[in-house]
Amino acid sequence: TDRAVLNNLVEQIQSSPHPVDILVNNAGIGSSSNPAPVHELPDDFWDLSVLLNMTVPFLLTKAILPSMLKKKWGRVINVSSINGKVASFHGAAYAASKHGLLGLTRTLALEVAKEGITVNAICPGPVRTLMNDKRIAYDAERRGVPVEQHEQTLTPMGRRLEPEEVAPLAIYLASDDSKMVTGQAWNVDGGLVMF
């Protein structure tokens, strides 16, 4: 989120003799950092969420696109969330920024469809991470149930995902096998969102 560092990174990417062929935009901040209803959501947290979850992927993608266009090959994989498709109670900044990232994904996919570049998004459900641990604890407390009990109700499969259960989709989307897959938002969510 440091603009100077980000600008320096963009300059390094653009001047590198080794162009980026595959970009995975995976940095993000979730609602667990500041869950709140919209009328109590601090403006600075909204700004941080939009910056990290949507603007940074835009800037990094913009920086690598010229070399991909020149090469006529590239893969952009944005890590969104199921909350890029559905609402998140007390998570407006997260949901809005992840919805925006899906809009960016689809628009860019359309723009570069004939250039050998694919652009897709992965939409994980609840994944066992430190960030998600905080959100699970918040929701369990809000509902007045033990964390373990709440966790069993998160997906139809009765558990959260492990990080290594998301990675194979990224590997597929980065490969030549996915050359006809673009503009998609893939759920990896234990059946939580079925549409």
Side-chain angles (χ1 to χ4, degrees):
T1 59
D2 183 324
R3 289 287 187 148
V5 172
L6 183 59
N7 291 338
N8 186 41
L9 177 61
V10 167
E11 287 175 14
Q12 288 176 17
I13 290 169
Q14 291 172 333
S15 65
S16 172
H18 307 289
V20 176
D21 295 325
I22 300 164
L23 174 65
V24 180
N25 286 307
N26 190 38
I29 186 168
S31 59
S32 63
S33 298
N34 199 341
V38 169
H39 70 281
E40 295 177 6
L41 188 66
D43 292 353
D44 61 345
F45 185 71
W46 174 273
D47 293 342
L48 175 63
S49 299
V50 170
L51 173 62
L52 189 54
N53 294 342
M54 193 169 55
T55 304
V56 169
F58 161 74
L59 293 172
L60 291 174
T61 302
K62 185 178 175 181
I64 59 95
L65 268 178
S67 64
M68 287 183 176
L69 290 166
K70 184 176 181 181
K71 195 173 183 179
K72 296 279 190 191
W73 196 96
R75 300 289 182 263
V76 177
I77 303 164
N78 292 320
V79 179
S80 183
S81 167
I82 58 166
N83 291 124
K85 297 179 174 185
V86 298
S88 174
F89 190 81
H90 290 176
Y94 182 67
S97 62
K98 292 299 187 174
H99 273 77
L101 185 58
L102 291 185
L104 174 64
T105 299
R106 292 174 179 132
T107 299
L108 181 61
L110 184 62
E111 290 179 2
V112 298
K114 293 184 178 179
E115 304 298 329
I117 301 165
T118 64
V119 187
N120 291 287
I122 298 173
C123 298
V127 179
R128 189 177 309 282
T129 63
L130 291 176
M131 187 167 67
N132 190 244
D133 287 347
K134 292 177 185 176
R135 179 63 199 218
I136 298 305
Y138 173 79
D139 285 336
E141 182 179 338
R142 184 174 56 82
R143 292 181 172 157
V145 298
V147 169
E148 298 77 20
Q149 180 182 340
H150 176 63
E151 189 172 0
Q152 292 172 357
T153 67
L154 293 174
T155 70
M157 292 185 167
R159 66 176 179 86
R160 285 193 280 173
L161 287 88
E162 300 298 332
E164 57 270 16
E165 294 173 311
V166 179
L169 181 55
I171 293 168
Y172 167 71
L173 292 173
S175 74
D176 272 330
D177 291 337
S178 69
K179 64 185 165 211
M180 288 300 288
V181 177
T182 196
Q184 302 305 306
W186 296 80
N187 295 356
V188 183
D189 65 355
L192 183 56
V193 178
M194 294 193 189
F195 68 87

